[in-house]
Amino acid sequence: MATGVHSFSAFHLRNFHRFQHHISKRPSGNFSKAVDFGNPSREPQNRRSFSHKTMSNLDQAKTIAAEKAVHEYVKDKMCLGVGSGSTVALAVRVLADKIHKEKLHVICIPTSFQARQLILENNLILGDLNSHPKLDVAIDGADECDANLTLIKGGGGCLAQEKVVASCAEQFIVIADHTKKSSKLGEKWSKGVPIEVLPCGYTPVANKIQELFGGVAELRMAKMKAGPVVTDNGNFILDWKFSTDKIFDWEKTNTAIKMIPGVVETGLFVGMAKKAYFGMEDGSVSTI
């Protein structure tokens, strides 16, 4: 029995030395990363500093717009609505840098599952509208913004929650790149006005919109799944492609569409935005 124990120990001793030799050959950084079980004092990976040089031109434009808006509107001890979409994904990085560096206490209210994840991944304080129904500021992107600050939103399918959050804010601020700035709606955004609808009634709603306002209202189909896009609220989306030759009173149009049974919300944001920041091609920021 003793021989067996000695033989067993020698076997493991030889393998232990081999393991030590193997580890000594590996770069220390890789090994330390492999055994890192999470140190709360470390900076979250998502908060690594980023450079404009590594971004596309449009991402640079979105980022400089976000930097301007965050610098001017985000203050200590405030409740902030956090929008959704590609521009806001960049803006949250700017927001996190400011909050952590300046040690601000900011409660962030998400407008979507995406926004919620961005808040958590960047180690920000997550809240909700039921606990914080009054917001100081909401910052969100737009698919298009005209000269009157009338917006089309909902390209990412989050229009209903985005509008609820924006309506709860004292100041609703829009950030976007220069391709979203237009003199009138439909000038640059050709995918139509998103309209969130109950799944049981998307066909009669589409027919009614076309009957009242013309154009074509199409059910938005998913790209990575079979069937239609389903919102965070479990609804469908119609994209109403209106005639750009026709002049619309967008406030009346928005109200009329919302009165159609089966409509949950529209992607028309009329009279809600206080200010819009657009990152321009030359690196400047234009405002409305």
Side-chain angles (χ1 to χ4, degrees), residues 41-100:
S41 66
R42 292 179 62 199
E43 292 287 307
Q45 288 186 354
N46 294 58
R47 282 179 50 212
R48 290 174 181 170
S49 60
F50 56 97
S51 169
H52 289 196
K53 294 180 181 179
T54 63
M55 297 180 179
S56 68
N57 290 337
L58 283 183
D59 280 353
Q60 288 184 42
K62 294 173 183 178
T63 301
I64 60 175
E67 289 171 342
K68 185 75 170 175
V70 168
H71 173 73
E72 293 187 7
Y73 283 94
V74 175
K75 310 297 180 185
D76 193 23
K77 298 179 181 179
M78 73 183 307
C79 289
L80 175 70
V82 177
S84 306
S86 60
T87 302
V88 173
L90 294 168
V92 171
R93 297 168 68 181
V94 175
L95 175 66
D97 279 347
K98 179 179 176 67
I99 288 175
H100 293 301

Side-chain angles (χ1 to χ4, degrees), residues 101-117:
K101 287 178 181 178
E102 299 181 17
K103 302 187 184 306
L104 306 180
H105 183 82
V106 177
I107 298 173
C108 299
I109 312 299
T111 56
S112 64
F113 178 84
Q114 179 215 24
R116 181 182 185 277
Q117 295 305 106

Side-chain angles (χ1 to χ4, degrees), residues 1 19 73 79 82 96 124 141 149 162 180 190 214 231 235 245 247 254 275:
M1 189 66 167
F19 175 75
Y73 283 94
C79 289
V82 177
L124 301 174
L149 287 176
E162 287 174 339
K180 308 301 175 61
S190 61
T231 70
N235 298 315
D245 295 327
I247 298 175
N254 180 58
K275 193 171 185 178

Side-chain angles (χ1 to χ4, degrees), residues 141-156:
D143 298 309
E144 189 171 33
C145 175
D146 72 8
N148 298 313
L149 287 176
T150 301
L151 315 175
I152 293 178
K153 289 178 53 55

Side-chain angles (χ1 to χ4, degrees), residues 76-259:
D76 193 23
K77 298 179 181 179
M78 73 183 307
C79 289
L80 175 70
V82 177
S84 306
S86 60
T87 302
V88 173
L90 294 168
V92 171
R93 297 168 68 181
V94 175
L95 175 66
D97 279 347
K98 179 179 176 67
I99 288 175
H100 293 301
K101 287 178 181 178
E102 299 181 17
K103 302 187 184 306
L104 306 180
H105 183 82
V106 177
I107 298 173
C108 299
I109 312 299
T111 56
S112 64
F113 178 84
Q114 179 215 24
R116 181 182 185 277
Q117 295 305 106
L118 287 170
I119 291 167
L120 293 175
E121 288 168 3
N122 284 275
N123 201 28
L124 301 174
I125 301 173
L126 176 67
D128 62 65
L129 286 178
N130 293 319
S131 300
H132 306 280
K134 293 183 178 181
L135 309 181
D136 298 291
V137 177
I139 297 178
D140 205 346
D143 298 309
E144 189 171 33
C145 175
D146 72 8
N148 298 313
L149 287 176
T150 301
L151 315 175
I152 293 178
K153 289 178 53 55
C158 308
L159 57 147
Q161 292 186 43
E162 287 174 339
K163 190 174 280 190
V164 172
V165 170
S167 72
C168 294
E170 287 187 22
Q171 301 178 98
F172 175 41
I173 308 302
V174 176
I175 52 175
D177 64 75
H178 53 88
T179 66
K180 308 301 175 61
K181 183 181 181 182
S182 64
S183 58
K184 67 174 186 175
L185 296 187
E187 182 179 82
K188 294 185 177 179
W189 179 255
S190 61
K191 297 181 180 179
V193 176
I195 300 166
E196 186 164 341
V197 299
L198 296 177
C200 64
Y202 73 89
T203 298
V205 169
N207 291 341
K208 191 66 175 178
I209 290 172
Q210 292 169 172
E211 176 187 326
L212 291 173
F213 303 107
V216 178
E218 299 176 330
L219 181 64
R220 187 184 298 182
M221 303 303 291
K223 294 183 178 180
M224 300 299 289
K225 67 174 281 290
V229 168
V230 179
T231 70
D232 286 358
N233 309 309
N235 298 315
F236 290 172
I237 292 180
L238 296 173
D239 289 306
W240 171 46
K241 298 178 181 178
F242 55 91
S243 172
T244 54
D245 295 327
K246 186 176 180 180
I247 298 175
F248 290 92
D249 180 324
W250 289 116
E251 185 173 4
K252 291 181 178 179
T253 301
N254 180 58
T255 300
I257 293 175
K258 288 186 67 172
M259 291 300 294

